[in-house]
Amino acid sequence: MVRRDREDPAVAGTTVPSGAAGPDGGTVVVFDCFGTIVGELRPMPGPEEFTGWVTKTLAVDRQTADDIVNSVFTTLLDALVDKSALQPATLDLLDEALRERGEARSAEDLHTALWYALGCADDDRYELCEPAAVAMRRVADAGHTVRLLSNCYLPGGLMRRLLGGLGVPEVFDRAHFTADGGPKKPDARAFELIAAGSFGRRIMVGDSADNDIAPARLLGWDTVPVDPARPDFSGLYALLDL
């Protein structure tokens, strides 16, 4: 099994805002990533493009790469269809598929393959949503806790690399990236995991009605829907009196 640079989603992060533990338990604001703080200029690469990069970066023949990609994508898609199923870790799936075919690779090679295969090296694939970045800073500056919750295929280390490269503010104290394995949206367990703590109020900010807004409301959270085409965070500012 490959050694992953996984961080416990319940403790990952860098900055702990001063207002995280106020007398009333404080407020935690959870931001979705793709479609909310990260804009997608082009769709995520499909299996064909993914296969091409696996062939190139891992130096395997096209048929082997095709078999590996089909194995990884089939397992991931099966987990995504079942809303209550835990998402398997992407690195584990890729590592296992390679080893089963006698093509074991280092963790560094697997990271490189995923970085390119998922379009992270493309300058025209992703962009920062500036209004979301402003919102994150304003929330943190007001003393509230900021966290991230993302359904994704990129392992945590690569997600942080992508977010940092785009200029996403490092004001979040925890992040749950489902590519590291575990519950995914809209599973209530994903929301409970990322919002763990003695908070008096929880707010979900996201672009998906099904994966972000509806499940958070069922848990009694306040919610802020975001339209990726016209991102407006005035509703969040109103909730927090900012």
Side-chain angles (χ1 to χ4, degrees), residues 5-6 16 26 35 43 45-47 50 62 92 100 105 108 110 128 132 134 150 166 192-193 202-203 211 214 218:
D5 62 341
R6 180 198 294 186
V16 180
F50 200 111
R62 183 76 183 193
D92 282 354
E100 287 177 349
R105 296 291 189 274
E108 181 180 358
L110 300 188
L128 173 68
V134 171
S150 179
L166 292 172
E192 292 165 350
L193 176 64
R202 293 168 172 82
I203 301 174
N211 285 340
L218 286 175

Side-chain angles (χ1 to χ4, degrees), residues 84-117:
S84 63
L86 299 180
Q87 181 172 327
T90 306
L91 277 176
D92 282 354
L93 293 177
L94 182 56
D95 179 56
E96 182 179 354
L98 283 160
R99 291 181 184 278
E100 287 177 349
R101 293 160 179 80
E103 298 284 358
R105 296 291 189 274
S106 68
E108 181 180 358
D109 286 342
L110 300 188
H111 279 87
T112 298
L114 289 172
W115 183 256
Y116 282 93

